[in-house]
Amino acid sequence: MKPGLLMIVDPRPYRAATGVAGMVEALGGLKHPEVHAFCGRDWAAAVIRPPARLPECGAGAVADGGHLLIWTGDLMPPDTWPAGRPARVLLGRLREFGTSALREVDGAFCGAWYDGCNDRWTIFNDRWGLLPVFHAVVGDRIVIAPQAHLAWRAAGLPLNIDEEGLAGVLRTTNGIGDRTLIRNVRWLLPGSSLTWPARGQPDRPPGIETYWEYLNPPRTNASYEEALASGCEVLTRTVERFISGGVPLRMGISGGMDSRMILAACHGLGVQPTCYTIGWPFSEDSRFGQQLARAAGAPHMLVVPDDQRLLDRLPRLIVDCDGLHSARHLGLATALPECLAGHEGSVVLEGYLFGMVGGSATVEDDDLAIDRPAHACRWALKHFHAGGRPETINALLRPEIARSSFERWQEEIDDRYRRFPGTDPWDRAEYTIMNGRSGRIDVLGTNLMRDHVLVRSPGTSADFMTFLASLPADRRRGKRFYMDLLSQRFPAFARIGRSGSTGLPVSRDRLLREYAWQREKLYRAWAKCRHPQIRRWGWSGDLVTMWIFNTWRQHGDLPVLLEPGARILDWIDGVQMRAAWDQADSDPRQALILLTLGTFETYVRRLESCPRLRADKPHHLRFRKMDCSAPDAMGEPLCASS
């Protein structure tokens, strides 16, 4: 089971307990040893703890002085905090400083804090929102769940699709803002908290506050050589902290810059994580990932995508991500169980955020919003309209939905750009990009791995993030700093290529670069003769899109989009969808929109078959009754539910 918080605040205590038990039962965890349940007057909650056995990881409840903290996840407080159990120390900091105390904590976590002074609950997540938290309000009752469809079922809401949420995912493939595909179910955005009166407040929305946002610190005045030395030290210290504990390490490696940076730091520390790559033997991810693992002396496993595995598992992944992730991003994830099998309780190092903080969100000089609105810049289209060109999406959606959703998309970007507390155009653009990452692969994508392993991303480290952000923009653009750091500090990892467009191998020797490129051309010529997939789909980065589309339409249920009873026709123009289908049929590289529409169709049909959670159903989950003045409780099932 994935770590998460399930909670109901309801003036009818029995309904709160049965509702929480129903959600736990829907997840299959009524008798799961990692589920700890608590209850009190007007509320009930259950937390699922992470699988790794580390001092920072856990789940439970801490009570002290009229305050209560229910939590789960990976609490990694700074060294400046008092020594002791992280949860108890955090409760003390919350009492003293409020939710601003959460700014200092690394790791993926979420929880609920009862503030005895104000008689209210505060639901919170970590800085990047890595453990999803969804909420639904019905009158004086609020439901908190780790999945949107679970909150919907427990709240007893009718099934109505949120048109704005659907249009947002279609535009971005990942979502923007706090909308979900289910009306009246919202997502708690990263670095946010939700307040709710302990006694309920009919017909009033919960209070939402942002306690942390990504902001660039003052630029460093150090020389470039000094910055490289400091960067190596901060990187090594950060990775060492995130791999401490002696548990087995796993790492998905693509051969790209982010994963090789973390692998190089592990190698420098004398640690060899077990590496894996999902891809075809001829793909760059597989070939260069294997070479990097060999350079680190680490074992490597290649898992080849499989058609039947895709057809069997893709619908489940779509529901697990609540339809907020296009199937385009989920195809390779259907192989994750093979990668993680037999490694329960280990730590998986995730490097995706390294790129965003390290240069991927640094815009070009000629792409700054000086004489135009922010939403009209190339960086806005790249990061926030990745589902297709605006005119294409507007034509596909029904006119009234297209107009309102496009205006809202523009307003979201422009408003965030205006809110930046400064004038530097590079910082304003990065602020807008980094703080609009709801639904990205580093949140819902990595959450798919959390059933059996603990996922840790060194890119979430406040120290490392602050250091990188303090570098001038031109030093980070195109991940230049990473490339120079590799070439000077980890040369064995810099010499391994990736493709002709990334600047790897990093070498000042022109002959070495030319040799690597000529060797790559020879390999490509041989592989084209050897592998029919290349002759059929080519070498482009759209190979995964073409594979998913061809497999899903030929052997799966994707063609239901063309049936008269397709659910998606309530929001999509059928003629335009048929045109998109014909285009993808002749050129599968253009199938991204169809894969997103197939995601919606699959999700809606699955929701229609979901049974409602009955509030009066007997249950067998054992709750521990909590008193805010009682000592700590770590989840022992001491008292039976009523």
Side-chain angles (χ1 to χ4, degrees):
M1 297 180 69
K2 301 177 183 65
L5 169 70
L6 307 99
M7 185 173 184
I8 294 178
V9 180
D10 192 314
R12 299 157 289 274
Y14 177 73
R15 286 190 60 190
T18 53
V20 168
M23 289 193 287
V24 173
E25 182 181 21
L27 293 175
L30 275 182
K31 298 182 179 180
H32 200 285
E34 304 301 331
V35 177
H36 307 304
F38 311 94
C39 66
R41 187 179 61 177
D42 305 339
W43 65 273
V47 283
I48 306 167
R49 64 165 292 149
R53 302 303 184 196
L54 292 170
E56 302 89 352
C57 293
V62 178
D64 185 32
H67 292 254
L68 173 66
L69 173 64
I70 302 170
W71 66 284
T72 184
D74 190 19
L75 293 176
M76 303 179 70
D79 295 335
T80 56
W81 281 23
R85 284 168 40 192
R88 170 164 285 282
V89 176
L90 176 59
L91 178 58
R93 305 285 289 190
L94 288 170
R95 292 176 58 186
E96 186 174 359
F97 302 106
T99 53
S100 62
L102 299 168
R103 299 174 188 170
E104 304 176 66
V105 185
D106 295 339
F109 57 86
C110 62
W113 164 43
Y114 173 70
D115 180 358
C117 298
N118 296 292
D119 195 27
R120 68 183 182 190
W121 286 98
T122 298
I123 313 300
F124 59 84
N125 54 19
D126 59 74
R127 288 195 301 259
W128 295 103
L130 297 180
L131 295 187
V133 176
F134 298 92
H135 56 95
V137 175
V138 181
D140 55 359
R141 172 186 174 93
I142 187 169
V143 178
I144 308 295
Q147 294 177 320
H149 70 276
L150 197 58
W152 161 72
R153 293 172 65 187
L157 293 167
L159 179 56
N160 293 313
I161 300 302
D162 189 317
E163 297 173 350
E164 290 285 349
L166 183 145
V169 177
L170 184 60
R171 294 186 185 282
T172 67
T173 75
N174 292 118
I176 184 171
D178 66 348
R179 298 292 187 103
T180 70
L181 297 188
I182 306 175
R183 191 174 299 169
N184 296 321
V185 178
R186 297 299 181 94
W187 190 350
L188 186 63
L189 294 180
S192 299
S193 62
L194 174 159
T195 56
W196 184 257
R199 304 292 170 262
Q201 198 165 351
D203 303 321
R204 289 285 301 275
I208 306 292
E209 294 183 357
T210 300
Y211 70 80
W212 177 85
E213 287 186 315
Y214 176 90
L215 285 172
N216 290 97
R219 300 303 192 202
T220 178
N221 294 321
S223 68
Y224 195 47
E225 290 301 321
E226 292 172 335
L228 286 171
S230 298
C232 184
E233 179 186 352
V234 175
L235 170 68
T236 303
R237 186 172 66 243
T238 297
V239 172
E240 184 176 26
R241 182 187 182 206
F242 276 69
I243 66 176
S244 62
V247 298
L249 294 176
R250 299 275 286 166
M251 187 173 178
I253 186 164
S254 65
M257 192 68 74
D258 308 335
S259 56
R260 81 169 64 199
M261 283 290 293
I262 299 178
L263 184 62
C266 288
H267 179 69
L269 292 167
V271 177
Q272 288 81 37
T274 301
C275 299
Y276 63 86
T277 303
I278 303 174
W280 292 272
F282 55 81
S283 67
E284 290 185 351
D285 287 5
S286 306
R287 293 160 47 220
F288 298 131
Q290 188 175 25
Q291 291 180 36
L292 287 167
R294 189 181 302 120
H300 181 269
M301 177 178 68
L302 174 64
V303 179
V304 180
D306 177 77
D307 291 358
Q308 192 58 49
R309 187 191 296 127
L310 173 75
L311 298 171
D312 292 343
R313 294 177 181 167
L314 185 58
R316 171 63 185 274
L317 296 186
I318 289 173
V319 175
D320 281 352
C321 289
D322 283 298
L324 299 172
H325 239 8
S326 172
R328 165 61 180 83
H329 300 300
L330 298 176
L332 296 183
T334 56
L336 277 173
E338 277 74 11
C339 299
L340 303 178
H343 293 270
E344 287 77 4
S346 61
V347 169
V348 172
L349 295 177
E350 171 60 46
Y352 192 79
L353 271 170
F354 259 50
M356 293 303 299
V357 181
S360 294
T362 304
V363 301
E364 298 295 330
D365 294 353
D366 61 350
D367 192 25
L368 298 172
I370 297 175
D371 54 355
R372 53 188 162 165
H375 72 262
C377 297
R378 289 195 305 271
W379 58 260
L381 296 175
K382 173 185 176 182
H383 293 285
F384 293 122
H385 214 293
R389 294 186 302 176
E391 55 269 26
T392 302
I393 302 301
N394 289 342
L396 186 63
L397 289 164
R398 291 190 176 275
E400 63 279 7
I401 301 175
R403 184 173 52 256
S404 64
S405 70
F406 190 51
E407 290 174 353
R408 182 174 179 270
W409 177 83
Q410 293 175 321
E411 183 181 351
E412 286 261 356
I413 296 170
D414 294 345
D415 180 64
R416 190 176 294 116
Y417 190 84
R418 284 191 298 266
R419 289 204 312 264
F420 176 74
T423 58
D424 186 281
W426 289 285
D427 288 351
R428 296 184 77 173
E430 283 188 291
Y431 170 86
T432 306
I433 295 169
M434 298 293 287
N435 293 308
R437 296 181 53 74
S438 61
R440 299 299 300 191
I441 190 81
D442 44 326
V443 178
L444 291 182
T446 56
N447 199 52
L448 297 175
M449 299 187 283
R450 298 182 188 274
D451 282 294
H452 304 293
V453 300
L454 174 69
V455 181
R456 279 182 165 177
S457 174
T460 64
S461 163
D463 288 345
F464 188 70
M465 181 173 57
T466 301
F467 169 78
L468 280 178
S470 69
L471 294 173
D474 60 339
R475 294 183 181 179
R476 287 182 289 119
R477 185 176 295 131
K479 304 183 184 180
R480 174 196 167 192
F481 184 79
Y482 284 169
M483 298 174 74
D484 291 342
L485 185 61
L486 282 169
S487 63
Q488 293 193 23
R489 305 287 172 164
F490 307 102
F493 295 86
R495 287 192 290 266
I496 297 170
R498 179 62 172 86
S499 75
S501 61
T502 62
L504 294 169
V506 179
S507 174
R508 293 182 172 87
D509 188 338
R510 181 178 177 276
L511 292 178
L512 176 60
R513 295 197 304 270
E514 185 65 21
Y515 166 76
W517 176 232
Q518 294 299 331
R519 181 180 177 183
E520 178 69 10
K521 287 199 294 186
L522 288 173
Y523 174 82
R524 289 182 175 226
W526 172 84
K528 188 174 182 179
C529 298
R530 173 69 176 80
H531 298 285
Q533 297 100 318
I534 300 176
R535 295 193 298 273
R536 181 182 180 190
W537 295 332
W539 281 97
S540 74
D542 299 318
L543 188 146
V544 174
T545 300
M546 294 186 281
W547 168 63
I548 297 173
F549 177 69
N550 283 319
T551 303
W552 203 2
R553 69 167 175 165
Q554 292 175 9
H555 307 291
D557 56 3
L558 187 61
V560 300
L561 291 174
L562 304 179
E563 296 178 357
R567 311 301 190 265
I568 197 67
L569 293 177
D570 289 341
W571 311 282
I572 299 296
D573 184 284
V575 175
Q576 293 293 331
M577 185 172 67
R578 167 59 76 171
W581 183 280
D582 292 341
Q583 183 184 27
D585 195 35
S586 60
D587 183 5
R589 290 174 298 179
Q590 308 300 320
L592 174 59
I593 290 176
L594 270 299
L595 296 181
T596 306
L597 295 179
T599 302
F600 298 151
E601 187 73 16
T602 300
Y603 186 65
V604 173
R605 288 174 181 261
R606 290 295 174 115
L607 291 188
E608 291 174 348
S609 63
C610 280
R612 296 300 176 89
L613 301 180
R614 291 177 52 189
D616 58 347
K617 181 180 178 181
H619 62 86
H620 304 286
L621 183 66
R622 296 172 67 84
F623 289 83
R624 175 165 186 153
K625 292 182 179 178
M626 291 297 299
D627 181 346
C628 292
S629 61
D632 300 356
M634 298 308 296
E636 302 88 342
L638 299 183
C639 61
S641 61
S642 56

